[in-house]
Structures are given as structure tokens and as C-alpha cells.
């Protein structure tokens, strides 16, 4: 099945640093979603984007829906230990009960 | 937020046996649920779309006779891995959406299947 390309694949940062990751697709999506997955758990929704060019924040997280509808990025400011995990972007073509296409994931590790 | 529950959280079975995994939407009705499979250090790959009252729609390459999906009610979908083999060992995750303006899908906590 199709996957979205996420970069970087992994990040090793120190606590307090800012984080930036992005997601690109060869096809357009009408909704972009960002999820975080902890080990052995299902993904948890962080931010949802519904409009091209939209910039949305959720606490220390900020995400943008690319103007071409083929990309999105997620920023995390002032990282803390609980930010450790795997971040996935997901694209959805239609609203509601429409399947998601997931990105390859970015694994975030915080170095003590 | 909406809650989706999976059961069991983990299961170990012998090769050749069948295993059933349940996915329930606890506080909303879901006409559509999705089943994903995730191998270690990999992303979620959609296996099938489960539709209440009708046959599931399987993604290319997913064997419908091996992964039986039943969506008998608006709050329950089941995935049965038939004649399981070690290569079926994986993390299986379901998701559901309330629909009606809700665009976000809510995920269950996942089921770790180990076939020995």
C-alpha cells in the first residue's frame, strides 16, 4: 500500500531543543493528521489540519498543511522527556469514515 | 474524546490455530472501522475497511480468507486470524470514527499477536 515519506527517520535531541519533522506525498490529501505512538500502544491524535495553508497549534506543537496539499510539517518546541516516541503523519482524502494513509514515522529520542 | 477498545491486548497462540481480536467503540457508533497491521519499527499498514452489515473491503495483498472481518454491530468489529503462522506475528490495531463531521479516527490500544 501507499505510504507517505517522513523525514527525518529518527532524531536524537537534548531536552529543551526544538524539533521539526515533515511529511511528503506524491498525491494530494484534503486532511492531514499527526499522531504520536508510544511503545505497545495505538496512535494518539495530536493535531488535525483541514485546509491547505492552515497553521494549527496545540500547546508546544505546531503543524502546517502544505499549500500544494502534498506535504505537512510538525514542530515541537522546548522538548520534554514525555515527547519521546514515534510520530506519524497521516493523509486522508475525504472527511469522516475515510481510510488513512500513514507516513513512515519519525522516532524521537531525548538524550539525557 | 471517543474511546476505542481492543481485546485482548496481547495473545500467544500455536501455529495453525485461529485467533479473534475484538475492536469496540465504547461511547459512539461507528459504521466503519479500520484494521491495521504494524511490524516492529515500521508504520501502520491498512489491512481492511470494516463496514457494519456488509463485507469488508481488503487492501491489495491482504488475504481475505486468512483475515476474517466481521462488523456485526455499530460498536463491534472482529478480526480473526485463521490458521496463524509465525509470520502473522505482528501488532494489530483498529480505528473508528464517529463520522458526522468528526474527521479524526480514534485508535484502539492494539493487540500484540505472537504465533509460536
Amino acid at each position: 500500500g501507499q505510504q507517505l515519506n517522513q523525514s527525518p527517520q529518527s532524531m536524537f535531541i537534548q531536552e529543551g531543543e526544538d524539533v521539526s519533522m515533515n511529511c511528503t506525498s506524491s498525491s494530494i490529501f484534503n486532511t492531514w493528521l499527526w499522531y504520536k505512538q508510544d511503545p505497545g500502544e495505538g496512535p494518539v491524535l495530536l493535531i488535525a489540519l483541514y485546509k491547505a495553508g492552515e497553521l494549527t497549534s496545540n500547546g508546544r506543537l505546531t503543524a502546517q498543511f502544505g499549500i500544494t496539499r502534498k506535504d505537512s510539517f510538525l514542530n515541537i518546541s522546548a522538548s520534554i522527556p514525555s515527547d519521546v516516541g514515534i510520530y506519524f503523519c497521516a493523509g486522508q482524502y475525504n472527511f469522516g469514515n475515510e481510510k488513512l494513509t500513514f507516513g513512515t514515522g519519525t522516532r524521537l529520542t531525548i538524550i539525557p | 474524546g471517543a474511546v476505542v477498545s481492543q481485546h485482548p491486548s496481547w495473545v500467544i497462540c500455536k501455529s495453525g490455530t485461529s485467533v479473534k481480536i475484538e475492536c469496540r467503540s465504547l461511547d459512539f457508533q461507528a459504521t466503519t472501522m479500520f484494521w491495521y497491521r504494524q511490524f516492529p519499527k515500521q508504520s501502520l499498514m491498512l489491512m481492511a475497511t470494516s463496514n457494519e452489515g456488509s463485507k469488508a473491503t481488503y487492501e491489495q495483498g491482504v488475504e481475505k480468507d486468512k483475515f476474517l472481518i466481521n462488523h456485526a454491530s455499530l460498536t463491534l468489529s472482529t478480526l480473526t486470524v485463521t490458521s496463524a503462522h509465525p509470520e502473522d506475528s505482528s501488532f494489530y490495531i483498529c480505528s473508528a470514527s464517529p463520522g458526522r463531521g468528526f474527521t479524526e479516527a480514534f485508535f484502539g490500544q492494539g493487540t500484540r499477536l505472537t504465533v509460536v
Side-chain angles (χ1 to χ4, degrees):
Chain A
Q2 180 190 7
Q3 277 192 329
L4 307 178
N5 293 316
Q6 256 181 269
S7 64
Q9 187 175 15
S10 60
M11 302 183 73
F12 297 85
I13 63 168
Q14 291 188 323
E15 183 177 350
E17 288 187 27
D18 295 344
V19 172
S20 183
M21 61 189 78
N22 66 68
C23 189
T24 59
S25 170
S26 58
S27 55
I28 63 173
F29 289 102
N30 291 318
T31 301
W32 282 91
L33 305 166
W34 284 93
Y35 288 87
K36 178 176 182 279
Q37 186 180 30
D38 291 326
E41 300 289 334
V44 174
L45 181 68
L46 300 174
I47 290 181
L49 301 159
Y50 305 111
K51 189 176 178 182
E54 178 183 357
L55 185 71
T56 298
S57 294
N58 178 9
R60 294 179 296 106
L61 278 62
T62 302
Q64 184 158 28
F65 191 145
I67 197 71
T68 64
R69 295 194 288 163
K70 292 183 178 181
D71 60 350
S72 177
F73 73 75
L74 174 71
N75 285 343
I76 305 172
S77 62
S79 59
I80 60 177
S82 62
D83 291 335
V84 168
I86 304 176
Y87 292 80
F88 290 102
C89 62
Q92 186 179 52
Y93 191 73
N94 289 315
F95 293 158
N97 292 334
E98 177 72 14
K99 63 184 181 182
L100 297 177
T101 300
F102 276 84
T104 48
T106 295
R107 182 180 296 272
L108 179 62
T109 302
I110 293 183
I111 306 168
Chain B
V3 178
V4 176
S5 177
Q6 269 183 255
H7 177 82
S9 297
W10 59 270
V11 57
I12 302 173
C13 71
K14 291 184 177 181
S15 187
T17 62
S18 295
V19 174
K20 180 184 285 187
I21 302 170
E22 293 185 348
C23 179
R24 293 182 184 273
S25 55
L26 298 185
D27 51 2
F28 66 95
Q29 294 183 332
T31 55
T32 304
M33 292 184 177
F34 302 92
W35 287 96
Y36 296 83
R37 180 168 51 184
Q38 185 179 31
F39 292 108
K41 298 186 177 181
Q42 293 189 22
S43 186
L44 286 75
M45 296 299 294
L46 180 67
M47 299 175 65
T49 302
S50 171
N51 302 297
E52 187 267 338
S54 64
K55 291 183 179 180
T57 302
Y58 290 82
E59 294 298 301
Q60 190 173 8
V62 177
E63 301 175 58
K64 62 180 181 180
D65 294 330
K66 181 168 186 60
F67 299 99
L68 301 179
I69 292 173
N70 187 321
H71 195 151
S73 76
L74 289 172
T75 59
L76 172 65
S77 176
T78 61
L79 168 68
T80 301
V81 183
T82 62
S83 186
H85 291 288
E87 57 265 31
D88 298 324
S89 298
S90 187
F91 194 52
Y92 292 87
I93 311 173
C94 71
S95 76
S97 171
R100 294 184 182 179
F102 278 86
T103 59
E104 300 89 351
F106 298 94
F107 285 81
Q109 73 272 34
T111 298
R112 172 76 58 194
L113 170 63
T114 303
V115 184
V116 297

